[in-house]
Amino acid sequence: MVETIEWTPSGVVMIDQTRLPLHEEYVTCRNYEEVATAIRDMIIRGAPAIGVAAAMGVAIGVQYAAEDGLDAQMETICDTLAKTRPTAVNLFWAIDRMKRLYATLRGQPIAAIRERLISEAKLVREEDIAINRAIGKHGAPLVPDGKTVLTHCNAGALATAGYGTALGVIRAAIETGKKIDVFADETRPFLQGARLTVWELQQDKIPTTLITDNMAGHFMKSGRIGCVVVGADRIAATGDVANKVGTYSVAVLAKENGVPFYVAAPISTLDLTLTSGDQIPIEERSAAEVTHVFGNLVAPEGTAVKNPAFDVTPFRYVTGIITENGVAHAPYEESLKRLAGK
Amino acid sequence: MVETIEWTPSGVVMIDQTRLPLHEEYVTCRNYEEVATAIRDMIIRGAPAIGVAAAMGVAIGVQYAAEDGLDAQMETICDTLAKTRPTAVNLFWAIDRMKRLYATLRGQPIAAIRERLISEAKLVREEDIAINRAIGKHGAPLVPDGKTVLTHCNAGALATAGYGTALGVIRAAIETGKKIDVFADETRPFLQGARLTVWELQQDKIPTTLITDNMAGHFMKSGRIGCVVVGADRIAATGDVANKVGTYSVAVLAKENGVPFYVAAPISTLDLTLTSGDQIPIEERSAAEVTHVFGNLVAPEGTAVKNPAFDVTPFRYVTGIITENGVAHAPYEESLKRLAGK
């Protein structure tokens, strides 16, 4: 299994997700600014993976911070990382976790602080893999045997520290002996489905068929799809789910065709401070992502573009939210709070 | 205005729709086999334009047919053209029209037959433009003023002999003074929206925003879209509509969000012999259209692909079908038959 992100003595090493699947290359971020750039440029992406990257970004930032004015430098490091991408709440969750730990360490020798922050960042990574295994265990029974699972974007090993959320559920279902195959939406504009999901499922020899996003409805209508499983970037207290743009469409089509629609995400993706998905900030990315594919212009020069990177699926389309602590069902206000231990 | 297809002394001239928008090139088909290839390879596409191309293909085929065994050659010409693409019924409609005319001409001098078939093919083209103007006139009142019209694929001048069906409705609405703009789905895999719809609306200075297919639902939910207008490749007696893959998804999302969903198509797109959209043959095209964009591989080598070129939108999602003879509403069995004069 490929490693999405690792702490090494020379820096934070990530597989470059802008280069997959044709090139398997690794990037070493040697300071926190490089980690921030990697997040912003989607060298690493996927809400849980962004969380791990942010934790490691804080840790590497403090490695090279001077002892004098450490508090202020810690602030700058965290602010820089927090400004990379607005939607995935795991980014802010991880930064907050590092900040809270740092607050308990103030006054200790800087070497001790540095060491403790590194081990915490490594722990965030290890916990993420364990969380994904637990998500898989809870989700596996929900996947209908002998059918096709549709997924959108990449909520796999590459979107996490390993194993994946949505793809973790698929992996776990297969580990329990279920005979399933996968339909992967290509997921324009960034093509995470075509480039990343197909690639990582091929590594695991899980039978996968690539379709364009606009074909998902056709195959749901045909009866071939047993369930949909996707990841999430932020989930409001109501159960409204922000995820990769196109998720809302898949959810509506699933409901229309009686196909269960599951969201697989760690508790760290919950934002219980939000009383509606409408409050989730939606990142607008550059027009070039839409007008260019692999560097080729596919539209006329000067084309006006909208490029929201995410959309919000209202809770009424969500059959269940699969977390490491169990599966939440409607009413989500209660079930999510309970699973979050709040 | 660009000419999609024209009869010229040197052959059937088409704008090469595989090369737009970056290259404005014209292809001259000098025999019926080249016309067949142009249809199959989507140098020309769009149901009404395919009909015109087929009529011209028959005419050019007979130009170079020998007088001896003309009937058999006519049969071969028509069979070759009929085998190019299975879904758009306008192809078969146009070939039948030429066949029926040919049957009335048998026994006449071959020069007269040739001349008559040429004028008929030219007439099919001229009629198509007039039909699209009539579709526009009937459709314009349905377009809400001051809002955005969403369209999928290209049902424009490029999909017809000129003016367009869905884009004809948009043009006509603007000609009546309505202030509207257009959201164009890029329409993977062939990118007719990004490449063709944006290009031809730019020529007319109609404000157009390009989005990926999976964003359409998001913008319908946001309230920005006043109505959807698309074309059709074949319409069953029930009002079930086969059109470019993704149309079904757009229709479901429109209904879910209370957005009117209109289909604009000439009467020649009706196939009243079909009692269900499920009977419409759906063309499966090559995997390479999905795995490659402008020649670049965007998925791992050996990726399994499904590539249905069309899907079927059940009549219950269709607010109205705009034809040159008026707008059909449910129950479509009656309204379509009436408009078709059957």
Side-chain angles (χ1 to χ4, degrees):
Chain A
M1 171 85 62
V2 64
E3 297 294 347
T4 305
I5 179 166
E6 272 187 301
W7 182 274
T8 74
S10 46
V12 182
V13 177
M14 305 169 183
I15 190 165
D16 186 344
Q17 303 198 27
T18 66
R19 300 282 287 156
L20 286 171
L22 305 186
H23 307 276
E24 190 175 329
E25 292 174 4
Y26 292 81
V27 167
T28 303
C29 300
R30 294 172 199 281
N31 53 55
Y32 78 90
E33 291 95 336
E34 288 180 6
V35 173
T37 301
I39 297 171
R40 191 179 305 108
D41 294 350
M42 295 173 71
I43 286 167
I44 191 160
R45 30 64 53 199
I50 289 172
V52 176
M56 291 188 177
V58 174
I60 206 169
V62 173
Q63 297 317 294
Y64 299 108
E67 194 155 8
D68 266 9
L70 187 57
D71 285 5
Q73 290 171 84
M74 174 73 182
E75 200 68 33
T76 304
I77 292 163
C78 292
D79 283 357
T80 304
L81 289 163
K83 276 183 192 139
T84 50
R85 299 196 68 193
T87 305
V89 76
N90 316 59
L91 175 73
F92 310 105
W93 168 87
I95 293 169
D96 279 353
R97 177 168 165 167
M98 298 300 276
K99 269 187 181 169
R100 274 184 281 111
L101 174 64
Y102 174 80
T104 69
L105 302 173
R106 289 174 63 199
Q108 291 189 22
I110 190 157
I113 295 177
R114 286 175 176 156
E115 198 175 320
R116 189 63 192 78
L117 290 176
I118 292 174
S119 32
E120 188 72 6
K122 285 180 175 174
L123 185 64
V124 170
R125 178 180 172 280
E126 281 155 37
E127 282 178 5
D128 187 60
I129 299 172
I131 284 167
N132 293 334
R133 294 243 169 221
I135 288 172
K137 187 174 65 93
H138 290 297
L142 303 174
V143 176
D145 200 4
K147 301 274 274 181
T148 300
V149 179
L150 175 76
T151 191
H152 186 71
C153 195
N154 172 271
L158 290 166
T160 62
Y163 201 69
T165 52
L167 299 192
V169 169
I170 290 168
R171 289 190 167 98
I174 289 170
E175 285 163 18
T176 66
K178 286 186 175 171
K179 296 262 174 287
I180 54 174
D181 71 323
V182 176
F183 266 37
D185 283 355
E186 67 173 2
T187 318
R188 281 280 290 147
F190 204 65
L191 294 167
Q192 291 95 334
R195 297 192 304 105
L196 308 178
T197 294
V198 170
W199 183 79
E200 73 163 89
L201 293 178
Q202 276 186 355
Q203 311 277 310
D204 281 8
K205 304 201 190 320
I206 296 171
T208 305
T209 302
L210 175 64
I211 59 172
T212 60
D213 301 300
N214 57 20
M215 293 173 191
H218 172 72
F219 288 107
M220 284 195 257
K221 181 154 76 82
S222 79
R224 174 161 185 162
I225 310 297
C227 72
V228 177
V229 191
V230 298
D233 288 83
R234 195 185 296 214
I235 302 173
T238 46
D240 294 345
V241 175
N243 190 45
K244 180 52 52 195
V245 71
T247 302
Y248 164 68
S249 298
V250 172
V252 169
L253 287 157
K255 182 159 203 186
E256 190 73 10
N257 287 287
V259 176
F261 177 88
Y262 297 108
V263 174
I267 294 293
S268 60
T269 307
L270 299 182
D271 186 349
L272 299 181
T273 66
L274 302 185
T275 55
S276 162
D278 295 340
Q279 296 162 4
I280 299 173
I282 300 295
E283 178 181 9
E284 177 85 20
R285 292 185 65 87
S286 79
E289 285 187 357
V290 173
T291 54
H292 291 69
V293 179
F294 279 34
N296 281 300
L297 184 63
V298 299
E301 292 279 358
T303 299
V305 166
K306 286 279 180 190
N307 185 15
F310 304 92
D311 62 23
V312 174
T313 300
F315 64 85
R316 66 179 178 279
Y317 300 105
V318 180
T319 311
I321 298 175
I322 308 164
T323 77
E324 66 270 36
N325 295 341
V327 181
H329 292 283
Y332 290 105
E333 270 99 339
E334 295 166 25
S335 58
L336 289 177
K337 214 181 273 182
R338 196 174 60 245
L339 290 179
K342 293 281 162 69
Chain B
M1 171 88 60
V2 62
E3 296 295 346
T4 305
I5 180 166
E6 272 187 301
W7 183 274
T8 75
S10 45
V12 182
V13 176
M14 306 169 183
I15 190 164
D16 186 344
Q17 303 198 28
T18 67
R19 300 283 286 155
L20 286 172
L22 305 186
H23 307 275
E24 190 174 328
E25 290 173 6
Y26 292 80
V27 168
T28 303
C29 300
R30 294 173 200 282
N31 53 54
Y32 78 91
E33 291 95 335
E34 288 181 4
V35 173
T37 301
I39 296 171
R40 192 179 304 109
D41 294 349
M42 295 172 71
I43 287 168
I44 191 161
R45 31 62 54 200
I50 289 173
V52 176
M56 290 188 178
V58 173
I60 206 169
V62 173
Q63 297 317 295
Y64 299 109
E67 193 154 9
D68 265 10
L70 187 57
D71 284 5
Q73 290 171 86
M74 174 74 182
E75 199 68 31
T76 304
I77 292 163
C78 291
D79 283 358
T80 304
L81 290 163
K83 277 182 191 140
T84 50
R85 298 195 69 193
T87 305
V89 77
N90 316 59
L91 175 73
F92 310 106
W93 167 87
I95 293 169
D96 279 353
R97 177 168 165 167
M98 298 300 276
K99 269 187 181 169
R100 273 184 282 110
L101 174 64
Y102 175 78
T104 69
L105 301 173
R106 288 172 64 199
Q108 291 188 24
I110 190 156
I113 295 177
R114 286 173 176 157
E115 199 176 319
R116 189 63 192 80
L117 290 176
I118 293 174
S119 30
E120 188 73 5
K122 287 179 175 174
L123 185 64
V124 170
R125 178 180 172 279
E126 282 155 37
E127 282 178 6
D128 187 59
I129 300 172
I131 285 167
N132 293 335
R133 294 243 168 220
I135 289 172
K137 187 175 64 94
H138 290 298
L142 303 174
V143 177
D145 199 4
K147 300 274 274 181
T148 300
V149 179
L150 176 75
T151 190
H152 187 71
C153 195
N154 173 270
L158 290 166
T160 62
Y163 201 68
T165 51
L167 300 193
V169 170
I170 290 168
R171 289 190 166 99
I174 289 170
E175 285 163 18
T176 66
K178 287 186 176 173
K179 295 263 173 286
I180 54 175
D181 70 323
V182 176
F183 266 37
D185 282 355
E186 67 173 2
T187 318
R188 281 280 290 147
F190 204 65
L191 294 166
Q192 290 95 333
R195 297 193 303 105
L196 308 179
T197 294
V198 170
W199 183 79
E200 75 164 86
L201 293 178
Q202 276 186 355
Q203 310 278 310
D204 281 7
K205 305 202 190 318
I206 295 171
T208 305
T209 302
L210 175 65
I211 58 172
T212 61
D213 301 301
N214 57 19
M215 294 173 189
H218 172 73
F219 287 106
M220 284 195 257
K221 182 153 76 80
S222 80
R224 175 160 185 163
I225 310 296
C227 73
V228 177
V229 190
V230 297
D233 288 82
R234 196 186 295 213
I235 301 173
T238 47
D240 294 346
V241 175
N243 190 45
K244 180 52 52 195
V245 71
T247 301
Y248 164 69
S249 299
V250 172
V252 169
L253 288 157
K255 183 160 202 183
E256 190 72 9
N257 288 287
V259 175
F261 177 87
Y262 296 108
V263 174
I267 294 293
S268 60
T269 306
L270 299 182
D271 186 349
L272 299 182
T273 66
L274 302 185
T275 55
S276 162
D278 295 341
Q279 297 163 1
I280 299 173
I282 300 294
E283 178 182 10
E284 178 84 20
R285 292 186 65 88
S286 79
E289 284 187 357
V290 173
T291 55
H292 290 69
V293 179
F294 279 33
N296 281 300
L297 185 64
V298 299
E301 292 280 358
T303 299
V305 167
K306 287 279 180 190
N307 185 15
F310 304 93
D311 61 23
V312 174
T313 300
F315 64 84
R316 65 180 179 279
Y317 300 104
V318 180
T319 311
I321 299 174
I322 308 164
T323 76
E324 67 271 34
N325 295 341
V327 181
H329 292 283
Y332 290 105
E333 271 98 339
E334 294 166 26
S335 57
L336 289 177
K337 214 182 275 182
R338 195 176 59 245
L339 289 180
K342 293 280 163 68

